[in-house]
Amino acid sequence: MPRSPVVTTIATREDIPRVMALWDELRAIGGRAERAVTPPVVADVEERFLDLFDTYHCRVVLCSIDDEPAGMAVIRTIHPDPMSDEGFVYIAHLVVMRGKRQRGVGHALIHAATDFAIERGVDYVGVGVYPTLRDASRFYARLGFAPAALHRVAPVHVLRRRMGKDRQQPVALSDLVRRGRSIRSLPPQRRRRPAEPIDNAS
């Protein structure tokens, strides 16, 4: 018996219940795969999705099978390097529902991202993958995605502790300039003079 086809649509405001259900699935997958860097937990996530539906540089794509939610991708055009004119379409969040995998949903979402890139005149498509999701990495590799850069993420408080900034704050150049101006503004008798050298020969 042939499988039901995968239907791809661009999400609108009327699709927000399906979008939210797929977002919950995405958060669950991210939490299991990489608890240190999970999709953001925000109180106004529904409002953010509603804003995305009206954004030219972003698109939310839905997949369904037999009129049931099967997958979703949030895609947008980005320009990550200020020193380059090259931009690309980035797949920020891609998820396939459990029970709907191995049925072409992932391919349909990548195809939608490719169409979006063509519409926007962009030559490249990129995607982020959790390091522990090896099956997903192999899936993207088979489609032609190659490693371009390794992004490492660290909490600010960890960096401060590792670099010792909590114990000793470095002096900024602006502080040195401001300190020099304040010294020059003092009367000559109040300025600190260097110590006289000691003459050991006497």
Side-chain angles (χ1 to χ4, degrees):
M1 182 177 179
R3 291 182 174 180
S4 301
V6 178
V7 178
T8 305
T9 58
I10 299 173
T12 64
R13 290 174 173 269
E14 288 73 22
D15 296 309
I16 195 63
R18 292 191 173 197
V19 169
M20 295 306 299
L22 288 160
W23 179 255
D24 290 339
E25 177 78 5
L26 178 66
R27 285 186 54 199
I29 294 173
R32 293 193 301 268
E34 203 70 33
R35 295 187 182 277
V37 191
T38 57
V41 180
V42 290
D44 61 342
V45 62
E46 182 172 332
E47 287 77 9
R48 296 193 185 196
F49 269 111
L50 291 172
D51 290 338
L52 292 181
F53 298 152
D54 301 324
T55 303
Y56 175 79
H57 294 290
C58 188
R59 177 174 292 176
V60 181
V61 179
L62 294 176
C63 282
S64 60
I65 298 176
D66 294 329
D67 202 33
E68 295 182 354
M72 175 181 71
V74 180
I75 55 180
R76 60 191 177 102
T77 56
I78 65 173
H79 191 260
D81 186 354
M83 305 304 293
S84 172
D85 293 330
E86 289 290 343
F88 63 94
V89 165
Y90 181 70
I91 305 173
H93 304 290
L94 187 150
V95 60
V96 178
M97 291 286 286
R98 286 169 291 184
K100 300 292 192 299
R101 295 166 189 169
Q102 304 297 324
R103 300 183 64 176
V105 176
H107 283 84
L109 292 170
I110 298 297
H111 187 81
T114 304
D115 287 344
F116 184 67
I118 294 172
E119 291 176 20
R120 297 295 184 265
V122 178
D123 293 330
Y124 296 94
V125 176
V127 63
V129 188
Y130 289 115
T132 53
L133 294 180
R134 297 179 180 178
D135 289 341
S137 294
R138 286 192 286 266
F139 167 76
Y140 292 121
R142 287 195 297 269
L143 290 176
F145 288 87
L150 175 63
H151 296 278
R152 294 183 179 272
V153 180
V156 172
H157 72 275
V158 172
L159 293 176
R160 289 177 62 88
R161 185 176 67 250
R162 296 285 176 86
M163 295 189 297
K165 287 189 175 181
D166 285 336
R167 297 187 297 273
Q168 181 179 358
Q169 291 287 347
V171 179
L173 178 60
S174 58
D175 293 335
L176 293 175
V177 173
R178 186 165 51 251
R179 193 175 302 171
R181 289 174 179 171
S182 63
I183 293 175
R184 288 195 299 271
S185 64
L186 291 174
Q189 62 272 19
R190 293 189 58 188
R191 297 181 186 177
R192 181 177 297 178
R193 296 180 180 179
E196 293 292 336
I198 300 174
D199 189 357
N200 294 323
S202 57

